[in-house]
Amino acid sequence: MTSPDTPTASLTPGEPRTETAAPPRDFPIQRGCPFAAPAEYDTLRTQEPIARVTLPTEREAWVVTRYDDVRELLSDPRVSADIRRPNFPALGEGEQEAGARFRPFIRTDAPEHTKYRRMLLPVFTVRRVRAMRPAVQARVDEILDVMLAADGPVDLVSAYANAVSTSVICELLGIPPENLEFFRDVTRVSGSRNSTAEQVSEALGGLFGLLAELVAERRDEPRDDLISKLVTGHLVPGHVTMDQLLSTLGITINAGRETTTSMIALSTLLLLDRPELTDELRRDPSLMPAAVDELLRVLSVADSIPLRVAAEDIELSGRTIPADDGVIALLAGANHDPEQFDEPERVDFHRTDNHHVAFGYGVHQCVGQHLARLELEVALETLIRRVPGLRLAGKREDVVVKHDSATFGLEEMMVTW
């Protein structure tokens, strides 16, 4: 039984509550350049920083583009991430219905969200991640050996970026990475704005079926992996159910591999476009950590991941977002705000005070950000060092960019050396 305050899984759009100074804009807004925020974000930031938009679902919501507003919104306890709320600003028809069924913890509020986050935090500490570097380096070298043996041209997205991110997260969890494309296919469907609820449920159902088998195995024979730790430490009566555990594992895989895949591929394309930046990293490899943070800021692949609902009236930049309205914190907008970052379109590996929000902000800030940074550092440094002749195999316009996914990135990039 639910209380009157419990969000429901209704998908009925709410009626607009306020009048705006301008008619709602269509959202999402596509990027003209893969290495920059959409140009319209600059217009919004200066003219209408809290703007009304119409989503692909025909529901209306607000978007926030200023750095200070994005941080304030994402740290405001009056903002809900609960996907069951009627006006949750889902960007795809199937996203909310499937999300209400599977309940990924990133789409929940405290105390539920807090419980799941605490389950994962001990695995992703700086110390634990630092200790993983030798294993990550060995895995990256193995993947690159296979790619180079193929003698080009190859698709860098599948042969390297996806292989690295998927292998690392699978090894962490204790999943045999026998079919790397399976995990990529799950994310293709579950993260696409064009997928129906049935398609998303089918894709996630296949993933959860695999995970359920592994959970059963680890319950009988625990190993030194994340699934075993969660099964033995948390899958006990009164703590989490099997469905909750599977959902936590599923979102860890999907989020952990998709954003890193996109970042490795997009970063490589940017470095191919800007050889002077690659030369700078070759001359001084110690710049790599700062370079990764700058690439995270510039590329902002998780731009529209922070989907929220105002639980109360919230005022930002002189505009009131009414209670129960959906709101999207645009990370690329914040990370390209000239009030926070001098010449934000410039890629500067020496940028100081780079307090970007590429991993979000507040209680929902990405729990795996230290691992993501490690993967990016190792994957990019190894590629630059071992394949100095890397280049596109075709024309620049042949690179396939994906605009209909929850995470911005590349679908295909053929390279040779």
Side-chain angles (χ1 to χ4, degrees):
M1 180 178 297
T2 59
S3 70
D5 296 328
T6 301
T8 67
S10 168
L11 299 183
T12 304
E15 292 296 324
R17 294 174 174 269
T18 60
E19 295 296 327
T20 62
R25 304 162 188 262
D26 288 338
F27 190 85
I29 301 168
Q30 289 193 358
R31 305 187 187 199
C33 169
F35 311 139
E40 194 170 346
Y41 285 10
D42 290 334
T43 304
L44 288 172
R45 197 184 301 109
T46 56
Q47 299 180 9
E48 199 178 2
I50 313 298
R52 196 77 172 171
V53 296
T54 301
L55 307 176
T57 59
E58 299 185 359
R59 182 173 294 170
E60 290 188 2
W62 303 87
V63 292
V64 180
T65 47
R66 285 181 177 167
Y67 179 87
D68 288 342
D69 289 339
V70 165
R71 285 176 41 124
E72 182 176 344
L73 180 77
L74 294 180
S75 59
D76 195 321
R78 299 171 297 170
V79 175
S80 171
D82 197 325
I83 199 169
R84 298 170 300 171
R85 287 185 177 270
N87 287 327
F88 184 84
L91 297 178
E93 290 290 349
E95 180 180 359
Q96 188 177 19
E97 186 175 334
R101 174 185 173 188
F102 292 106
R103 302 286 286 129
F105 80 91
I106 66 170
R107 301 304 189 200
T108 63
D109 294 330
E112 187 178 7
H113 171 264
T114 308
K115 177 173 69 174
Y116 299 138
R117 188 175 178 89
R118 285 175 177 167
M119 288 167 52
L120 297 172
L121 274 174
V123 182
F124 293 106
T125 63
V126 173
R127 182 179 63 83
R128 288 281 184 91
V129 169
R130 187 179 295 126
M132 294 173 60
R133 182 177 285 270
V136 172
Q137 181 66 68
R139 188 71 185 115
V140 168
D141 279 325
E142 290 174 4
I143 291 168
L144 192 55
D145 286 343
V146 173
M147 188 184 95
L148 294 177
D151 199 25
V154 300
D155 174 20
L156 186 99
V157 179
S158 60
Y160 191 67
N162 178 62
V164 168
S165 64
T166 306
S167 295
V168 169
I169 198 66
C170 284
E171 186 168 333
L172 177 68
L173 269 71
I175 301 173
E178 296 167 352
N179 186 356
L180 300 181
E181 287 301 308
F182 166 76
F183 298 100
R184 189 180 180 196
D185 289 341
V186 169
T187 309
R188 273 197 186 106
V189 176
S190 62
S192 173
R193 295 166 184 155
N194 299 322
S195 296
T196 65
E198 292 76 16
Q199 290 170 328
V200 174
S201 294
E202 182 180 357
L204 293 178
L207 175 61
F208 287 3
L210 169 65
L211 292 173
E213 293 177 3
L214 291 170
V215 166
E217 291 177 8
R218 299 301 190 273
R219 181 186 278 161
D220 294 336
E221 297 181 14
R223 302 180 187 177
D224 185 22
D225 56 47
L226 179 55
I227 290 181
S228 297
K229 289 181 174 67
L230 295 180
V231 167
T232 57
H234 300 281
L235 190 57
V236 294
H239 193 69
V240 298
T241 66
M242 173 66 83
D243 286 346
Q244 290 169 338
L245 178 60
L246 294 179
S247 178
T248 302
L249 292 171
I251 192 61
T252 301
I253 294 170
N254 269 5
R257 57 152 305 282
E258 179 65 6
T259 51
T260 308
T261 295
S262 294
M263 276 300 304
I264 293 172
L266 267 176
S267 297
T268 302
L269 179 60
L270 187 150
L271 293 173
L272 290 177
D273 273 9
R274 299 281 303 276
E276 72 278 8
L277 295 175
T278 307
D279 292 341
E280 188 175 13
L281 291 173
R282 285 201 181 100
R283 288 193 304 270
D284 185 2
S286 69
L287 280 176
M288 186 57 74
V292 163
D293 262 317
E294 178 69 341
L295 291 168
L296 285 163
R297 180 193 70 81
V298 169
L299 299 176
S300 295
V301 298
D303 178 27
S304 56
I305 293 292
L307 308 176
R308 302 288 188 268
V309 175
E312 301 177 21
D313 288 359
I314 295 173
E315 184 171 327
L316 287 173
S317 287
R319 169 84 61 165
T320 297
I321 299 175
D324 298 324
D325 274 14
V327 56
I328 305 173
L330 297 175
L331 303 183
N335 284 335
H336 288 260
D337 186 344
E339 292 296 317
Q340 178 65 27
F341 302 100
D342 184 46
E343 298 181 69
E345 303 306 319
R346 176 170 52 88
V347 182
D348 182 1
F349 294 160
H350 301 273
R351 190 180 294 275
T352 58
D353 298 323
N354 189 358
H355 301 299
H356 62 76
V357 290
F359 291 112
Y361 192 72
V363 296
H364 282 270
Q365 190 173 39
C366 176
V367 69
Q369 61 179 289
H370 302 307
L371 179 59
R373 283 188 172 94
L374 171 63
E375 290 181 65
L376 290 168
E377 289 177 23
V378 174
L380 295 176
E381 187 280 330
T382 305
L383 195 63
I384 289 170
R385 171 171 47 83
R386 292 190 53 190
V387 198
L390 188 72
R391 63 187 185 278
L392 292 178
K395 298 178 181 178
R396 177 66 166 70
E397 54 266 30
D398 292 336
V399 176
V400 182
V401 179
K402 56 179 183 179
H403 290 285
D404 64 348
S405 174
T407 302
F408 181 74
L410 303 180
E411 185 64 35
E412 182 182 88
M413 181 171 73
M414 300 303 295
V415 297
T416 190
W417 46 89

